[in-house]
Amino acid sequence: QVRLVESGGGSVQAGGSLTLSCGATEYLIRHMCMGWFRRTPEGEREAVATVRGDGTTTYADSVKGRFIASKDNTKYTLDLQMNNLKPDDTAIYYCAADLLSTTGCVARGTVQIYEYRYWGQGTQVTVSS
């Protein structure tokens, strides 16, 4: 059974940094679209960043220039370096994975849970002003 396990969440002041990590498997890291999502106050899952099998990344406009997503092909993790954090970044962050096409593996808008086959349990990020 595939499990994704997020870690690295916590509390930080505005302007600070946090790094999230998602433990995966070799197959997921090397071949699947993987992404970071966060739960909005309305309860939706907003796409934050995606990383394709070849390492290409896409980002939501709200995090461009502040967040960096990357895969570690030796540790089999998906990481999210979050810099210059803002109170609006406060959310539960989830990682997810699925075998999506290049055009489908894009950080855009919100997603439904069924759009990605594998999900982690989430990790809380809280940014205070």
Side-chain angles (χ1 to χ4, degrees):
Q1 184 175 356
V2 174
R3 288 186 63 201
L4 298 176
V5 182
E6 301 99 336
S7 62
S11 298
V12 66
Q13 289 191 324
S17 299
L18 281 174
T19 298
L20 305 182
S21 186
C22 174
T25 66
E26 179 179 4
Y27 184 81
L28 293 183
I29 290 293
R30 293 189 182 279
H31 300 291
M32 287 198 175
C33 168
M34 298 194 70
W36 285 101
F37 303 83
R38 61 190 181 189
R39 185 181 294 276
T40 69
E42 293 76 24
E44 296 180 310
R45 297 195 181 206
E46 175 188 44
V48 174
T50 61
V51 185
R52 297 169 182 158
D54 64 1
T56 304
T57 55
T58 73
Y59 298 93
D61 288 344
S62 60
V63 306
K64 280 181 181 177
R66 300 189 298 123
F67 289 12
I68 301 171
S70 61
K71 292 183 180 181
D72 187 318
N73 290 331
T74 58
K75 297 180 181 178
Y76 309 137
T77 61
L78 173 70
D79 301 320
L80 184 68
Q81 172 72 39
M82 305 185 294
N83 302 311
N84 191 21
L85 282 161
K86 305 175 180 180
D88 284 348
D89 295 318
T90 295
I92 299 174
Y93 284 71
Y94 301 88
C95 71
D98 204 341
L99 197 62
L100 300 180
S101 66
T102 297
T103 55
C105 188
V106 175
R108 178 177 55 235
T110 59
V111 300
Q112 301 300 317
I113 193 168
Y114 60 77
E115 294 185 51
Y116 280 76
R117 182 172 182 180
Y118 305 109
W119 288 90
Q121 81 288 350
T123 186
Q124 177 71 46
V125 171
T126 302
V127 185
S128 58
S129 58

